[in-house]
Amino acid sequence: MDFQLTEEQLAVQAAARDFAQNELWAGVIERDEHQKFPAEQIKKMGELGFMGMMVSPEYGGSGLDTVSYVLAMEEISKVDASCSVIMSVNNSLVCWGLEKFGTEEQKQKYLTKLASGEIIGAFCLSEPEAGSDATMQRTTAEDKGDYYLLNGTKNWITNGSSASVYLVIAQTNPELKSRGINVLIVDKDTPGFTIGPKENKLGIRGSDTHSLMFNDVKVPKENRIGPDGFGFKFAMQVLAGGRIGIAAQALGIASGALELSLKYAQQRKAFGVEIAKHQAIQFKLADMATEIDAARLLCLKAASDKDQQLDYSKSGAMAKLFSSKVAMDSAVEAVQIHGGYGFVKEYHVERLMRDAKITQIYEGTSEIQKIVISRELLK
């Protein structure tokens, strides 16, 4: 087994780290404080190829592998998890889904702009009564012949007001249950589509999260992705890949917490010496580093499985389950290592702690990941 990264992968990692440190770090506290969407930073990420990393150059993407995507996600997430979740949704859920299952016309019309970062997309699955249980869709897409009439509400939508293109999961044939669900491409300016107020969140405050309302929205039949009834399968397949991106985000948050803790521990003195020389702090740092390396290996294993076209359902769920726990644990320890300074914003670790929690919730809670893992084990 080769644990060495290729020169191209190392170059991607270095470019992402350079961008995060030089372009994201300076304003990250202000963006978090004021819930400011990082529009300028996301535009630059598009120019650098980070918004369509796995998309073929034929459609404006970077044509990179999933391992490179994980490496870039980790570096961006070390500094600003709000930027990385915007990047993750656009890459893993929207671009990948369109390239994998969309028609050539859909790819030319939407994917090229999404992959280049000219526009960004949103994935709309969750509802007030359909979060983890994706089969319970209350949003309906009534077949009207040459178009669908879309009605319903979506909750917790990342890029809710900043996206230009929305992939909406809706029920067309309730009697068929999961086999009656479709996925439709909805343009932002479509009549009857409205965006609710921004959610005031605990973490990832720079990303814009909204509820979306659809009131007799006419969606042309050509905007359906895949055959009739493919929507549930589409959602499950893109979410399986999405878990890898969120696992990498969690890994980045944990890595960022460790880097800040190492730096602080070598500067802060207590009882006449740097606190890094105290065994209690050394034990914390050692535990953090060990768990982070284990999480990184799980993330890279899942990414490698995807690149080799192997089944990555289990490895992706394992990576997401473990990495999100490590993110939360590492961020809490980072605050503890910083002591009172860890409780104030200027030292960044309190923000990492707030950001870490969401990695245990979206793309399926930890309990959902355990269900996926056990299902694969019991096959």
Side-chain angles (χ1 to χ4, degrees), residues 290-335:
T290 301
E291 291 188 350
I292 289 166
D293 266 9
R296 184 175 292 111
L297 289 172
L298 281 171
C299 288
L300 293 175
K301 168 67 163 61
S304 178
D305 285 349
K306 188 170 184 288
D307 287 336
Q308 295 181 68
Q309 299 183 348
L310 301 174
D311 186 353
Y312 52 90
S313 300
K314 178 164 68 71
S315 58
M318 284 181 167
K320 201 269 186 183
L321 173 66
F322 188 73
S323 297
S324 61
K325 181 181 183 302
V326 171
M328 198 69 233
D329 291 347
S330 297
V332 170
E333 286 289 50
V335 172

Side-chain angles (χ1 to χ4, degrees), residues 1 28 41 51 62 98 144 152 158 181 203 232 306 326 346:
M1 184 177 291
V28 65
Q41 290 76 16
M51 298 303 287
S62 300
L98 272 170
K144 292 293 187 179
T158 299
I181 294 172
F232 181 74
K306 188 170 184 288
V326 171
E346 65 180 287

